[in-house]
Amino acid sequence: MDLQSLILNLSHYWADSGCIVQQGYDVEVGAGTMHPETFLRVLGPEPYRVAYVQPSRRPADARYGENPFRLGRHLQMQVILKPSPHNIQELYLKSLEALGIDPAVHDIRFEEDNWESPTLGAWGVGWQVLLDGMEITQFTDFQQAGGIELAPMTAELTYGLERISMFLQRKDSIYDIEWGGGISYGLIRLSDERESSTYGFEVADVDMLRRHFEDWEREAGRCLEHEPPLVVPALEATLKTSHLFNLLDARGAVSVTERVGLIGRVRRNAVAAAQAYTAQREKMGWPLGNALEGKEAE
Amino acid sequence: MATFLLEVRTEEIPANALPGARRQLEQLFTKHLADVGFDGIAVRALSTSLRLVVLAENLPDRQADRKEEMMGPPARVAFDNDGNPTKAAEGFAKKAGLPLDEIHRVETPKGEYLAATVTHTGRTTTKILAEATPKILAALRFPKMMRWGLGTHLFVRPVHGIVALLDSEIVSFTSFGIASGRSTVGHRVHSPDAFDLAQADDYQATLENRSVMVDPEDRRQALEDRAQSLAAAAGCRPHPDARLVAEHVELVEWPGLISGSFETRFLDLPPEVVVSTLRHHQKCLILEDEAGTLLPHFLAVIDRKDDPEDLIRLGNEWVIRARLADAGFFFDEDRKQPFEDNLSRLERVEWHRTLGSLEAKAERVGKLAVSLSEALELDQKAADLCRAARLVKADLVTYMVGEFPELQGIMGGHYLRLEGADEKLWTAARDHYRPVGFEGAPPVSAEGRVLGLADRLDTIAGLFAVGEKPTGSRDPLGLRRAAQAVVKIVVESGWALDLRSSLLKAVDGVAEHAGEDLETLQEALVDFLADRVRRWLTDMGGVAGDTADAVMAASWSSIPETVARAQALEAIRNDETFRALALAFKRVRNITDAYADGEIDPSLFEHAEESELHGKIIDFHTALEQLLPEHRISEAFQAMVPIADTLDRFFDEVLVMAEDSNIRANRIALLKTLGQDFLTLADLSKLQIDGGE
């Protein structure tokens, strides 16, 4: 199955399971979790189901296109189910069938793998899903986000699309997988992986990055101080600081003492945006509904 | 007699949580059953990755009825003068639930009272279990707990079903919003349909028919047998790995194992890299030949009985090839630049938030190593040691150690060796994290030992300085292990190093970060290290705790010498004469503790026993002066023995607290001198000897 069929099949499957099919966020992020459709939607009692493909940038993981398994930018299929449904594992296993994986002839196991993001003030418990020894999905039950204890809980599924493609196509390099129409991933992505690596490790203007970090941090603060607070613009500005931090880090420009401080500054705004979002939605009377209302137990 | 079955089905429970869950279930049920009067019931807790199970056999159907004697009002109050029952009597009968004519009288020291024999009907076992089980489930504790769905319930993982049966009868309760019943499921792949359990006692067999092996011990046995036979078929043997097998046991419902291979070219990588990839990352068993050499095969655990289309083997082989190729990529990348180039990046890596970068740590370690080397009179150049202190840490910034943190040291050793570095240097890099606690051998080279020692002393001093000390059972940074390694290195090297002052040197290096006054910090560190020395004496030296206390009270800073004294004392302490001596020494301490040293003036002796004791003290002192520099410790302890008799007679014949103050002071000085000489070896008053006070 080529990469785009993988994306299309998963999108169809999760749409049929009640998800809104969203698009990846148009601000640079390190993971689908930072998309407001995850980071904000998990807060408060509003039920929500969404799926999207998020291009995820991790400049420090870039390898000039030389490592067959690592990318500076990869694709995650992110699925959010809130409240986490009781038959989540069943739903998930059926999604594998949509990829042509028949559980009857494979070994599929869920091994403990908890998740924590200091930058987002978030943590969850969960599993990595192993298909014949290959990690194909990260499965997390969010317990806290933006420093806020959650209720109801949210299940997050993250499929590493390139890895799954490599495995399904039995290719030894990411760049050899077929994207679609007979065209390889390498033909489409290799040259920008090379360029982005050179940029991130050698060229990026450190002074400019620092300046922009300061600017966007201030901008996030202004959005939060605005009356009423501008939640999504504040989060977007915060995501920019997070990406700028990642670039500085890849560039080797972040000193030991500075590192903790910078992460703390990103987190402070992320937590503030989360709180502002919760207050805003409550004021709006939880427009998507209240899953906790009138229910004693699930 | 009935059998109780409890099965709680959940999503996959973390492997590390299951042994503890079984232990808690066994303890809590056993205790509860004993509390309701069911003694000696064998409770077995079993589990798979998807279910927690309790089986208790030979349970009575109900509690025995219990008779209780209930005391009522005095007879004179209960009956009026005409012998008719009063309200008090009627009230008591009502309370006891008996007609008046079944109430009897008893004589007590306070007069005649009414009494009733009340029978408490025992509750049924079903009822007892229905009440207890939800409480026990709610009391279970796990390393990490979670909420799910609407967030109402808290447990290790979401709960999907509960079976509770006493023989064939449902024990009815609700936990985690789920009502107990008799419906369960078999293996997720082999037998996924729900079915009803008819009765409790054939549960294990029923589940095994549905491809679920409920007893972890059965799974362990099956995995071990299968590993042996698969290995034999490939002409090799599994590398023994009880810890990994124990984890495999918890990961599955059915203990499956498959074998696979990888290309021999990957065996060109350092063997530790291959082992890390297979074992730590893929949780595979390693296969080796008779000589223990790594072979290009592995065994992978699977949660099923078969591999019907060979896809599982192919998948695992693909993953392992990908992982090994990835490791190979990092290995090649690391070797593209000279290893020394990594040094420039040490300052960018944080070792500790307050204590600074790896560069800062390596510099402190280098300086400390130089001072240790000088104290030990090792023939090492200061510049070489300082450079080595940085080089042994340089692998921490390589790709390989970034990917495989457990290979720290080992990779540095390989890279330096492959570049033709001096053997002392590359083995130092490889070995300087060893031993771990008391386990493992110290580094082979003196350089490795000095660096390993300096590294740990710096770590301990630094983390104490910033307030990150171990407390109680919590020691997240492994400081106790670090200190134990210090002790082991010094002992096994036979180094007469003054460990106390070495530690204080390490404190100097981190003093600027100290959050408390320096003296308190030094004291805490010295106590901490002394405690580890004591641990070595008892756990590794095999001496009794009070032997360790006795010799350490004399001194402990030079550990090999302390070990020798402890062993000599342990060997001699149960001799009859020596025990007498130890008791007498306690008297010496009691009498002289409050006094300072004094001069002995033989002209003030009044008794022959005084002169005799003085003679023995001089002999002993002379013996010590000869024996101690030659490390003849056992003989030094032997030299104490002849004093015992004399000392006893001294106490019999001589009144130490004489009226004449000069004579008194002289006698005290005599005993004090003896005490001080003894104290160079051990404080015998610390020994717990029968017949003592």
Side-chain angles (χ1 to χ4, degrees), chain A residues 28-100:
Chain A
E28 306 96 322
V29 292
T33 307
M34 303 169 108
H35 195 309
E37 286 287 86
T38 295
F39 182 64
L40 296 179
R41 295 290 186 198
V42 300
L43 302 162
E46 294 169 276
Y48 203 60
R49 286 189 174 198
V50 65
Y52 53 90
V53 175
Q54 180 63 55
S56 302
R57 291 175 181 247
R58 299 188 180 169
D61 289 352
R63 292 290 179 269
Y64 294 91
E66 285 164 19
N67 184 313
F69 308 101
R70 315 244 169 179
L71 294 163
R73 178 156 61 96
H74 71 287
L75 299 173
Q76 292 184 342
M77 178 93 192
Q78 172 90 349
V79 180
I80 287 296
L81 303 166
K82 177 188 174 190
S84 61
H86 209 50
N87 62 343
I88 178 75
Q89 286 190 317
E90 213 176 297
L91 275 176
Y92 169 74
L93 290 171
K94 286 220 178 85
S95 81
L96 295 184
E97 290 176 37
L99 302 181

Side-chain angles (χ1 to χ4, degrees), chain A residues 18 21 34 46 64 92 107 122 125 128 148 153 184 215 217 223 234 236 246 254 264 266 294:
Chain A
V21 174
M34 303 169 108
E46 294 169 276
Y64 294 91
Y92 169 74
D107 177 51
V125 302
Q128 50 174 331
I148 301 168
M153 319 314 282
S184 73
D215 287 347
E217 184 192 35
C223 293
E236 288 181 350
N246 289 342
V254 180
V266 177

Side-chain angles (χ1 to χ4, degrees), chain A residues 67 69-70 84 86 89 104 106-107 110-112 125 127 132-133 141 143 153 171-172 252 256, chain B residues 11-12 14 146-147 149 157 159-160 188 282-283 303-304 316 318 321-322 326 329 347-348 350 403:
Chain A
N67 184 313
F69 308 101
R70 315 244 169 179
S84 61
H86 209 50
Q89 286 190 317
H106 289 278
D107 177 51
F110 295 73
E111 273 187 20
E112 182 190 25
V125 302
W127 305 272
D132 302 338
D141 253 301
Q143 304 290 302
M153 319 314 282
K171 290 285 165 50
D172 288 337
V256 175
Chain B
E11 294 170 20
E12 278 80 352
M146 67 173 287
R147 296 180 188 279
R157 283 294 184 269
V159 179
H160 282 267
R188 192 181 265 155
Q282 289 301 123
K283 295 186 180 155
D303 186 7
R304 55 182 298 155
N316 275 278
W318 184 88
R321 186 168 69 243
D326 201 27
F329 175 84
E347 65 183 335
R348 281 203 235 130
E350 178 181 75
E403 280 302 300

Side-chain angles (χ1 to χ4, degrees), chain B residues 464 469 516 519-529:
Chain B
F464 264 68
K469 306 168 193 176
E516 57 195 339
E519 216 163 289
T520 318
L521 173 63
Q522 290 173 341
E523 208 170 294
L525 275 162
V526 167
D527 287 351
F528 176 71
L529 193 57

